[in-house]
């Protein structure tokens, strides 16, 4: 996407319209709308539009949608938005950490990676570069997230690979 075009979209009424489409419940429409919002959310100027449209509660709810494409794009959108400290505060109150943490043990790698990235961003505002305890805590969180993704991949390989079904009998 070209920057000029993205800036025009961000400063239009597109984001509130996309948030409204996410509330409709049609999976095809939701997948397209969250995909567009995910792309737009890489622009820091999109975050106020999402917040003004009351989009954060909608995004947090979408983390529980069973559709992998919707869930992965939602986690990616939250990862982008969670760079903003004000958004982090709102999302923490909405219970986003619990929802993101649950995604770490899923089967979709893209969803896991985006959820892990969002959790790392959520942890960022409390980290002071001069505080060794905080640096150690961040390192432990990174390891936990990496281990969770590896566990999800292993589970997926063992329990969903048709060539390995004989292991379950």
């Amino acid at each position: 996407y070209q920057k000029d075009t993205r800036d025009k979209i961000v400063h239009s009424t597109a984001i509130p319209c996309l948030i409204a489409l996410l509330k409709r419940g049609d999976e095809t429409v939701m997948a397209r709308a969250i995909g567009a919002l995910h792309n737009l959310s890489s622009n820091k100027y999109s975050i106020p539009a999402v917040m003004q449209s009351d989009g954060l509660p909608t995004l947090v709810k979408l983390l529980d949608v069973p559709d992998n494409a919707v869930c992965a794009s939602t986690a990616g959108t939250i990862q982008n938005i969670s760079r903003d400290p004000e958004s982090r505060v709102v999302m923490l109150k909405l219970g986003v950490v619990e929802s993101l943490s649950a995604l770490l043990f899923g089967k979709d790698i893209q969803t896991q990676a985006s959820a892990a990235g969002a959790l790392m961003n959520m942890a960022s505002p409390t980290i002071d570069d001069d505080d060794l305890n905080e640096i150690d805590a961040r390192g432990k969180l990174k390891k936990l997230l990496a281990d969770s993704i590896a566990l999800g991949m292993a589970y997926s390989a063992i329990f969903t690979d048709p060539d390995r079904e004989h292991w379950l009998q």
Side-chain angles (χ1 to χ4, degrees), residues 4 39 56 58-59 68 87 89 91-92 99 127-128 140 147 157 168:
D4 291 342
N39 288 335
L56 295 179
T58 301
L59 291 173
N68 282 338
S87 296
V89 171
M91 289 189 287
L92 284 171
S99 296
I127 294 176
D128 180 353
K140 288 179 181 176
D147 289 349
L168 302 175

Side-chain angles (χ1 to χ4, degrees), residues 21-136:
L21 289 174
L22 293 175
K23 297 176 182 179
R24 288 204 174 162
D26 180 274
E27 287 185 24
T28 303
V29 172
M30 284 181 3
R32 297 289 175 113
I34 193 61
L37 193 59
H38 183 197
N39 288 335
L40 293 171
S41 68
S42 65
N43 180 316
K44 68 179 179 179
Y45 298 110
S46 68
I47 297 170
V50 171
M51 291 184 68
Q52 291 166 2
S53 303
D54 201 31
L56 295 179
T58 301
L59 291 173
V60 173
K61 287 178 187 173
L62 285 179
L63 291 173
D64 295 327
V65 171
D67 183 287
N68 282 338
V70 170
C71 206
S73 288
T74 301
T77 303
I78 288 174
Q79 178 180 3
N80 289 340
I81 292 173
S82 65
R83 295 174 302 172
D84 175 66
E86 185 180 342
S87 296
R88 288 182 203 132
V89 171
V90 173
M91 289 189 287
L92 284 171
K93 290 178 183 175
L94 293 169
V96 75
V97 171
E98 292 81 4
S99 296
L100 290 169
S101 297
L103 294 177
L104 296 175
F105 297 98
K107 298 176 184 175
D108 184 66
I109 304 232
Q110 183 60 46
T111 303
Q112 291 172 322
S114 293
L119 286 167
M120 290 302 300
N121 287 349
M122 296 297 291
S124 293
T126 61
I127 294 176
D128 180 353
D129 290 338
D130 296 331
D131 186 345
L132 294 178
N133 288 332
E134 292 292 339
I135 292 170
D136 185 49

Side-chain angles (χ1 to χ4, degrees), residues 12-25:
S12 72
T13 59
I15 290 177
C17 292
L18 289 169
I19 299 292
L21 289 174
L22 293 175
K23 297 176 182 179
R24 288 204 174 162

